[in-house]
Short mmCIF file of all heavy atoms in Angstrom, two decimals:
data_model
loop_
_atom_site.label_atom_id
_atom_site.label_comp_id
_atom_site.label_asym_id
_atom_site.label_seq_id
_atom_site.Cartn_x
_atom_site.Cartn_y
_atom_site.Cartn_z
N GLY T 2 11.56 4.28 4.91
CA GLY T 2 11.42 3.45 3.72
C GLY T 2 12.26 3.97 2.57
O GLY T 2 12.90 3.19 1.84
N ALA T 3 12.29 5.30 2.42
CA ALA T 3 13.10 5.91 1.35
C ALA T 3 14.58 5.64 1.58
O ALA T 3 15.33 5.35 0.64
CB ALA T 3 12.84 7.41 1.29
N GLN T 4 15.01 5.73 2.84
CA GLN T 4 16.42 5.45 3.16
C GLN T 4 16.76 3.99 2.87
O GLN T 4 17.81 3.68 2.31
CB GLN T 4 16.71 5.80 4.62
CG GLN T 4 16.72 7.31 4.88
CD GLN T 4 16.67 7.66 6.35
OE1 GLN T 4 16.21 6.88 7.18
NE2 GLN T 4 17.13 8.87 6.67
N ASP T 5 15.85 3.08 3.25
CA ASP T 5 16.08 1.65 3.02
C ASP T 5 16.16 1.34 1.52
O ASP T 5 17.00 0.54 1.09
CB ASP T 5 14.96 0.81 3.66
CG ASP T 5 15.01 0.82 5.18
OD1 ASP T 5 16.05 1.25 5.73
OD2 ASP T 5 14.02 0.42 5.81
N ALA T 6 15.27 1.96 0.74
CA ALA T 6 15.26 1.70 -0.70
C ALA T 6 16.44 2.35 -1.40
O ALA T 6 16.99 1.79 -2.36
CB ALA T 6 13.95 2.21 -1.31
N SER T 7 16.86 3.50 -0.90
CA SER T 7 17.87 4.29 -1.62
C SER T 7 19.26 3.67 -1.58
O SER T 7 20.14 4.05 -2.35
CB SER T 7 17.92 5.72 -1.07
OG SER T 7 18.46 5.73 0.24
N VAL T 8 19.48 2.70 -0.68
CA VAL T 8 20.81 2.07 -0.63
C VAL T 8 20.99 1.07 -1.78
O VAL T 8 22.10 0.59 -2.00
CB VAL T 8 21.05 1.34 0.72
CG1 VAL T 8 20.92 2.31 1.88
CG2 VAL T 8 20.11 0.15 0.90
N HIS T 9 19.93 0.77 -2.48
CA HIS T 9 20.00 -0.19 -3.59
C HIS T 9 20.21 0.55 -4.91
O HIS T 9 19.29 1.21 -5.40
CB HIS T 9 18.72 -1.03 -3.66
CG HIS T 9 18.46 -1.83 -2.42
ND1 HIS T 9 19.11 -3.01 -2.16
CD2 HIS T 9 17.62 -1.60 -1.37
CE1 HIS T 9 18.68 -3.48 -1.00
NE2 HIS T 9 17.78 -2.65 -0.51
N PRO T 10 21.39 0.44 -5.51
CA PRO T 10 21.64 1.17 -6.76
C PRO T 10 20.76 0.70 -7.91
O PRO T 10 20.57 1.44 -8.88
CB PRO T 10 23.12 0.88 -7.05
CG PRO T 10 23.46 -0.33 -6.25
CD PRO T 10 22.56 -0.31 -5.05
N GLU T 11 20.20 -0.51 -7.81
CA GLU T 11 19.37 -1.03 -8.90
C GLU T 11 18.03 -0.30 -9.00
O GLU T 11 17.36 -0.35 -10.03
CB GLU T 11 19.07 -2.53 -8.68
CG GLU T 11 20.30 -3.40 -8.52
CD GLU T 11 20.74 -3.53 -7.06
OE1 GLU T 11 20.29 -2.74 -6.21
OE2 GLU T 11 21.55 -4.44 -6.79
N ILE T 12 17.61 0.35 -7.92
CA ILE T 12 16.31 1.05 -7.91
C ILE T 12 16.49 2.44 -8.53
O ILE T 12 17.35 3.21 -8.13
CB ILE T 12 15.75 1.16 -6.48
CG1 ILE T 12 15.40 -0.24 -5.95
CG2 ILE T 12 14.52 2.06 -6.43
CD1 ILE T 12 14.97 -0.25 -4.50
N ASN T 13 15.65 2.74 -9.52
CA ASN T 13 15.71 4.03 -10.21
C ASN T 13 14.75 5.05 -9.63
O ASN T 13 15.04 6.25 -9.63
CB ASN T 13 15.38 3.85 -11.69
CG ASN T 13 16.26 2.81 -12.36
OD1 ASN T 13 15.90 1.64 -12.40
ND2 ASN T 13 17.41 3.21 -12.86
N TYR T 14 13.58 4.57 -9.18
CA TYR T 14 12.52 5.48 -8.74
C TYR T 14 12.03 5.13 -7.33
O TYR T 14 11.83 3.96 -7.01
CB TYR T 14 11.31 5.40 -9.67
CG TYR T 14 11.57 5.81 -11.09
CD1 TYR T 14 11.58 4.86 -12.11
CD2 TYR T 14 11.77 7.15 -11.43
CE1 TYR T 14 11.81 5.23 -13.43
CE2 TYR T 14 12.00 7.53 -12.75
CZ TYR T 14 12.02 6.56 -13.74
OH TYR T 14 12.24 6.92 -15.05
N LEU T 15 11.81 6.17 -6.53
CA LEU T 15 11.08 6.03 -5.27
C LEU T 15 9.68 6.58 -5.51
O LEU T 15 9.53 7.73 -5.94
CB LEU T 15 11.77 6.83 -4.16
CG LEU T 15 13.25 6.53 -3.89
CD1 LEU T 15 13.78 7.43 -2.77
CD2 LEU T 15 13.46 5.07 -3.56
N GLY T 16 8.68 5.75 -5.27
CA GLY T 16 7.29 6.18 -5.47
C GLY T 16 6.65 6.51 -4.13
O GLY T 16 6.74 5.72 -3.18
N TYR T 17 6.04 7.69 -4.04
CA TYR T 17 5.41 8.09 -2.77
C TYR T 17 3.94 8.39 -2.99
O TYR T 17 3.58 9.26 -3.80
CB TYR T 17 6.11 9.33 -2.20
CG TYR T 17 5.50 9.78 -0.88
CD1 TYR T 17 5.57 8.97 0.25
CD2 TYR T 17 4.82 10.99 -0.77
CE1 TYR T 17 5.00 9.36 1.46
CE2 TYR T 17 4.25 11.40 0.43
CZ TYR T 17 4.35 10.58 1.54
OH TYR T 17 3.78 10.97 2.73
N PRO T 18 3.05 7.68 -2.27
CA PRO T 18 1.61 7.94 -2.40
C PRO T 18 1.20 9.16 -1.57
O PRO T 18 1.20 9.12 -0.35
CB PRO T 18 0.96 6.65 -1.85
CG PRO T 18 1.98 6.06 -0.94
CD PRO T 18 3.33 6.54 -1.37
N PHE T 19 0.89 10.23 -2.27
CA PHE T 19 0.51 11.48 -1.61
C PHE T 19 -0.97 11.74 -1.87
O PHE T 19 -1.38 11.96 -3.01
CB PHE T 19 1.34 12.64 -2.16
CG PHE T 19 1.06 13.96 -1.49
CD1 PHE T 19 1.77 14.34 -0.37
CD2 PHE T 19 0.06 14.79 -1.97
CE1 PHE T 19 1.50 15.55 0.26
CE2 PHE T 19 -0.22 16.00 -1.34
CZ PHE T 19 0.50 16.38 -0.23
N SER T 20 -1.77 11.68 -0.83
CA SER T 20 -3.22 11.81 -1.03
C SER T 20 -3.68 13.22 -0.72
O SER T 20 -3.25 13.84 0.25
CB SER T 20 -3.99 10.84 -0.14
OG SER T 20 -5.37 10.97 -0.39
N ILE T 21 -4.57 13.72 -1.58
CA ILE T 21 -5.18 15.03 -1.29
C ILE T 21 -6.45 14.86 -0.46
O ILE T 21 -7.19 15.80 -0.23
CB ILE T 21 -5.47 15.82 -2.58
CG1 ILE T 21 -6.35 15.02 -3.55
CG2 ILE T 21 -4.16 16.17 -3.27
CD1 ILE T 21 -6.74 15.80 -4.80
N SER T 22 -6.68 13.61 0.00
CA SER T 22 -7.76 13.32 0.95
C SER T 22 -7.13 13.08 2.31
O SER T 22 -6.34 12.15 2.49
CB SER T 22 -8.53 12.07 0.50
OG SER T 22 -9.14 11.43 1.62
N GLU T 23 -7.48 13.92 3.28
CA GLU T 23 -6.95 13.75 4.64
C GLU T 23 -7.30 12.37 5.18
O GLU T 23 -6.47 11.68 5.77
CB GLU T 23 -7.53 14.84 5.55
CG GLU T 23 -6.79 14.98 6.88
CD GLU T 23 -5.57 15.89 6.78
OE1 GLU T 23 -5.71 17.08 6.45
OE2 GLU T 23 -4.47 15.38 7.03
N ASN T 24 -8.53 11.95 4.95
CA ASN T 24 -8.98 10.65 5.44
C ASN T 24 -8.16 9.51 4.85
O ASN T 24 -7.71 8.61 5.56
CB ASN T 24 -10.46 10.42 5.08
CG ASN T 24 -11.39 10.97 6.12
OD1 ASN T 24 -11.32 10.59 7.28
ND2 ASN T 24 -12.27 11.87 5.72
N PHE T 25 -7.96 9.57 3.53
CA PHE T 25 -7.25 8.46 2.89
C PHE T 25 -5.77 8.48 3.25
O PHE T 25 -5.15 7.43 3.40
CB PHE T 25 -7.41 8.51 1.36
CG PHE T 25 -6.90 7.25 0.70
CD1 PHE T 25 -7.64 6.07 0.75
CD2 PHE T 25 -5.69 7.25 0.04
CE1 PHE T 25 -7.16 4.92 0.17
CE2 PHE T 25 -5.21 6.09 -0.56
CZ PHE T 25 -5.95 4.92 -0.49
N GLN T 26 -5.19 9.67 3.40
CA GLN T 26 -3.77 9.74 3.79
C GLN T 26 -3.58 9.09 5.16
O GLN T 26 -2.62 8.36 5.38
CB GLN T 26 -3.30 11.20 3.83
CG GLN T 26 -1.78 11.34 3.91
CD GLN T 26 -1.07 10.92 2.64
OE1 GLN T 26 -1.40 11.35 1.56
NE2 GLN T 26 -0.09 10.05 2.76
N MET T 27 -4.53 9.33 6.07
CA MET T 27 -4.44 8.71 7.40
C MET T 27 -4.60 7.20 7.30
O MET T 27 -3.89 6.44 7.95
CB MET T 27 -5.52 9.30 8.33
CG MET T 27 -5.27 10.73 8.75
SD MET T 27 -3.76 10.96 9.72
CE MET T 27 -4.19 10.13 11.25
N ARG T 28 -5.52 6.74 6.47
CA ARG T 28 -5.73 5.30 6.30
C ARG T 28 -4.50 4.64 5.68
O ARG T 28 -4.13 3.52 6.02
CB ARG T 28 -6.93 5.04 5.36
CG ARG T 28 -8.29 5.23 5.98
CD ARG T 28 -9.35 5.11 4.89
NE ARG T 28 -10.68 5.27 5.45
CZ ARG T 28 -11.66 4.37 5.33
NH1 ARG T 28 -11.46 3.27 4.66
NH2 ARG T 28 -12.85 4.59 5.86
N ASN T 29 -3.91 5.34 4.73
CA ASN T 29 -2.84 4.75 3.91
C ASN T 29 -1.48 4.81 4.61
O ASN T 29 -0.72 3.84 4.58
CB ASN T 29 -2.77 5.48 2.57
CG ASN T 29 -2.31 4.58 1.44
OD1 ASN T 29 -2.43 3.37 1.52
ND2 ASN T 29 -1.77 5.17 0.41
N THR T 30 -1.16 5.96 5.22
CA THR T 30 0.18 6.13 5.80
C THR T 30 0.16 6.62 7.25
O THR T 30 1.21 6.85 7.83
CB THR T 30 1.02 7.13 4.97
OG1 THR T 30 0.40 8.42 5.02
CG2 THR T 30 1.14 6.69 3.52
N HIS T 31 -1.05 6.77 7.84
CA HIS T 31 -1.19 7.24 9.21
C HIS T 31 -0.54 8.61 9.42
O HIS T 31 0.01 8.90 10.47
CB HIS T 31 -0.62 6.22 10.21
CG HIS T 31 -1.19 4.86 10.05
ND1 HIS T 31 -2.52 4.58 10.31
CD2 HIS T 31 -0.64 3.70 9.63
CE1 HIS T 31 -2.75 3.29 10.05
NE2 HIS T 31 -1.62 2.74 9.64
N LYS T 32 -0.61 9.43 8.38
CA LYS T 32 -0.07 10.78 8.46
C LYS T 32 -1.12 11.78 7.98
O LYS T 32 -1.96 11.46 7.14
CB LYS T 32 1.17 10.94 7.56
CG LYS T 32 2.31 9.98 7.88
CD LYS T 32 2.95 10.29 9.21
CE LYS T 32 4.11 9.34 9.48
NZ LYS T 32 4.53 9.34 10.88
N THR T 33 -1.02 13.01 8.48
CA THR T 33 -1.86 14.08 7.95
C THR T 33 -1.25 14.55 6.63
O THR T 33 -0.09 14.24 6.31
CB THR T 33 -1.91 15.27 8.92
OG1 THR T 33 -0.59 15.82 9.04
CG2 THR T 33 -2.42 14.85 10.30
N ILE T 34 -2.01 15.33 5.89
CA ILE T 34 -1.46 15.88 4.64
C ILE T 34 -0.26 16.77 4.94
O ILE T 34 0.75 16.71 4.24
CB ILE T 34 -2.56 16.65 3.87
CG1 ILE T 34 -3.59 15.66 3.30
CG2 ILE T 34 -1.94 17.49 2.75
CD1 ILE T 34 -4.74 16.31 2.57
N ALA T 35 -0.35 17.57 6.00
CA ALA T 35 0.78 18.46 6.36
C ALA T 35 2.04 17.65 6.65
O ALA T 35 3.14 18.01 6.22
CB ALA T 35 0.40 19.32 7.56
N GLU T 36 1.87 16.54 7.38
CA GLU T 36 3.03 15.67 7.67
C GLU T 36 3.55 15.04 6.38
O GLU T 36 4.77 14.86 6.21
CB GLU T 36 2.62 14.58 8.66
CG GLU T 36 2.40 15.10 10.08
CD GLU T 36 1.77 14.06 10.99
OE1 GLU T 36 0.91 13.28 10.54
OE2 GLU T 36 2.15 14.02 12.18
N SER T 37 2.65 14.70 5.48
CA SER T 37 3.05 14.06 4.22
C SER T 37 3.86 15.01 3.33
O SER T 37 4.76 14.58 2.61
CB SER T 37 1.82 13.57 3.45
OG SER T 37 1.21 12.52 4.15
N VAL T 38 3.53 16.29 3.39
CA VAL T 38 4.32 17.29 2.64
C VAL T 38 5.76 17.27 3.15
O VAL T 38 6.71 17.29 2.35
CB VAL T 38 3.70 18.70 2.79
CG1 VAL T 38 4.64 19.76 2.24
CG2 VAL T 38 2.36 18.77 2.07
N GLU T 39 5.92 17.22 4.47
CA GLU T 39 7.27 17.17 5.06
C GLU T 39 8.01 15.91 4.63
O GLU T 39 9.19 15.94 4.28
CB GLU T 39 7.18 17.21 6.60
CG GLU T 39 6.79 18.56 7.17
CD GLU T 39 7.81 19.64 6.84
OE1 GLU T 39 9.02 19.38 6.99
OE2 GLU T 39 7.39 20.72 6.40
N ILE T 40 7.30 14.79 4.68
CA ILE T 40 7.93 13.51 4.31
C ILE T 40 8.35 13.52 2.84
O ILE T 40 9.46 13.10 2.50
CB ILE T 40 6.95 12.34 4.59
CG1 ILE T 40 6.79 12.15 6.09
CG2 ILE T 40 7.45 11.04 3.94
CD1 ILE T 40 5.63 11.26 6.48
N LEU T 41 7.48 14.03 1.98
CA LEU T 41 7.81 14.09 0.56
C LEU T 41 9.05 14.96 0.33
O LEU T 41 9.92 14.61 -0.47
CB LEU T 41 6.62 14.62 -0.25
CG LEU T 41 6.86 14.80 -1.75
CD1 LEU T 41 7.33 13.51 -2.41
CD2 LEU T 41 5.58 15.31 -2.43
N SER T 42 9.14 16.04 1.05
CA SER T 42 10.30 16.92 0.94
C SER T 42 11.58 16.17 1.32
O SER T 42 12.61 16.27 0.65
CB SER T 42 10.10 18.14 1.85
OG SER T 42 11.21 19.00 1.77
N GLU T 43 11.49 15.39 2.40
CA GLU T 43 12.66 14.61 2.84
C GLU T 43 13.00 13.52 1.82
O GLU T 43 14.18 13.24 1.56
CB GLU T 43 12.37 13.99 4.22
CG GLU T 43 12.33 15.03 5.33
CD GLU T 43 11.70 14.48 6.62
OE1 GLU T 43 11.39 13.27 6.66
OE2 GLU T 43 11.52 15.26 7.56
N ILE T 44 11.98 12.89 1.25
CA ILE T 44 12.21 11.84 0.24
C ILE T 44 12.89 12.43 -0.99
O ILE T 44 13.79 11.82 -1.57
CB ILE T 44 10.88 11.14 -0.12
CG1 ILE T 44 10.39 10.30 1.06
CG2 ILE T 44 11.04 10.25 -1.37
CD1 ILE T 44 8.99 9.74 0.89
#
């Protein structure tokens, strides 16, 4: 998603929902918190 959005020069900000709730992170992005840390780093 970050790669798809980043090709548009009109977009200034990429927003990433990072949850400190393991349950909600799984519900929201189907990732664990540990995986989300990696994704945020890549973003």
